[in-house]
């Protein structure tokens, strides 16, 4: 199957990868358009209207990863790997490391029925220090607190 036949599905995957961290910056949009233009052998400002519309109208809450990747399940491992590499370009576009982006990549690989060895070099490797159990729990609790996205009103400073 040709890239052109799958370009809208690929567009959805790339844009979902950009949105999975909760933001979409101009550099990410530019990267998505450049990657899609490369795939279509055109320029970023000359994407087909349906691709441009797909980018502008994308809604993450309507996106279904499993349904989207179903079209790729019968592809050979190298094609699946290439799809993951395209998604990595999107994830790296903002220059920040985000656990939600890494999880999106892992979820994509799982939905593509890939073995971890086929994509391990593309995802984050998390090392856990060997600490006594109580100290380890406290350190993990603090780490997760640091990563947690604040919800609700900001805390009121003590006087």
């Amino acid at each position: 199957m040709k890239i052109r036949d799958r370009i809208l599905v690929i567009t959805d995957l790339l844009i979902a990868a950009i949105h999975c961290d909760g933001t979409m910056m101009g550099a990410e949009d530019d990267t998505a358009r450049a990657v899609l233009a490369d795939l279509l052998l055109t320029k970023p400002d000359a994407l087909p209207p349906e691709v441009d519309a797909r980018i502008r109208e994308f809604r993450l809450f309507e996106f279904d990863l499993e349904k989207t990747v179903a079209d790729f399940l019968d592809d050979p491992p190298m094609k699946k790997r290439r799809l993951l590499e395209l998604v990595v370009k999107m994830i790296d576009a903002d220059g920040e490391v985000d656990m939600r982006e890494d999880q999106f990549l892992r979820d994509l690989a799982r939905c593509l029925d890939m073995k971890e060895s086929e994509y391990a070099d593309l995802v984050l490797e998390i090392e856990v220090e060997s600490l006594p159990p109580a100290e380890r729990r406290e350190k993990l609790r603090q780490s997760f607190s640091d990563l947690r996205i604040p919800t609700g009103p900001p805390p009121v400073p003590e006087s």
Side-chain angles (χ1 to χ4, degrees):
M1 187 175 286
K2 296 180 181 178
I3 292 284
R4 189 169 288 284
D5 297 333
R6 293 176 158 175
I7 198 64
L8 294 179
V9 177
I10 293 170
T11 301
D12 287 346
L13 283 172
L14 299 183
I15 302 305
I18 289 171
H19 282 272
C20 73
D21 67 356
T23 63
M24 181 170 166
M25 299 165 45
E28 293 171 315
D29 182 70
D30 293 344
T31 301
R33 290 175 183 280
V35 167
L36 291 166
D38 284 347
L39 293 173
L40 293 170
L41 304 174
T42 189
K43 295 180 181 175
D45 59 352
L47 290 172
E50 62 273 13
V51 173
D52 185 63
R54 200 71 161 236
I55 294 168
R56 286 184 288 105
E57 297 167 6
F58 182 84
R59 302 290 178 262
L60 186 59
F61 63 88
E62 296 172 355
F63 178 75
D64 183 331
L65 182 60
E66 288 184 25
K67 184 178 173 183
T68 302
V69 301
D71 190 47
F72 297 92
L73 286 174
D74 294 328
D75 284 5
M78 280 308 296
K79 280 193 173 186
K80 292 177 181 180
R81 165 77 185 200
R82 177 69 178 128
L83 188 60
L84 285 181
E85 289 170 351
L86 291 173
V87 169
V88 168
K89 282 187 179 185
M90 298 303 101
I91 289 172
D92 290 345
D94 64 5
E96 297 179 12
V97 175
D98 189 296
M99 296 300 288
R100 293 170 292 187
E101 293 171 334
D102 186 68
Q103 189 60 52
F104 181 85
L105 191 62
R106 290 173 187 275
D107 291 345
L108 174 57
R110 180 188 44 79
C111 289
L112 287 169
D113 201 25
M114 295 177 72
K115 297 175 188 164
E116 189 172 351
S117 62
E118 295 172 322
Y119 65 88
D121 61 315
L122 300 175
V123 294
L124 297 175
E125 183 178 322
I126 301 171
E127 295 181 24
V128 178
E129 293 179 32
S130 180
L131 299 172
E135 195 176 327
R136 185 175 335 140
R137 279 194 302 274
E138 182 56 36
K139 189 165 185 166
L140 282 172
R141 187 177 299 116
Q142 184 58 45
S143 295
F144 284 118
S145 293
D146 292 346
L147 291 173
R148 188 172 292 127
I149 298 170
T151 58
V156 177
E158 295 180 22
S159 335

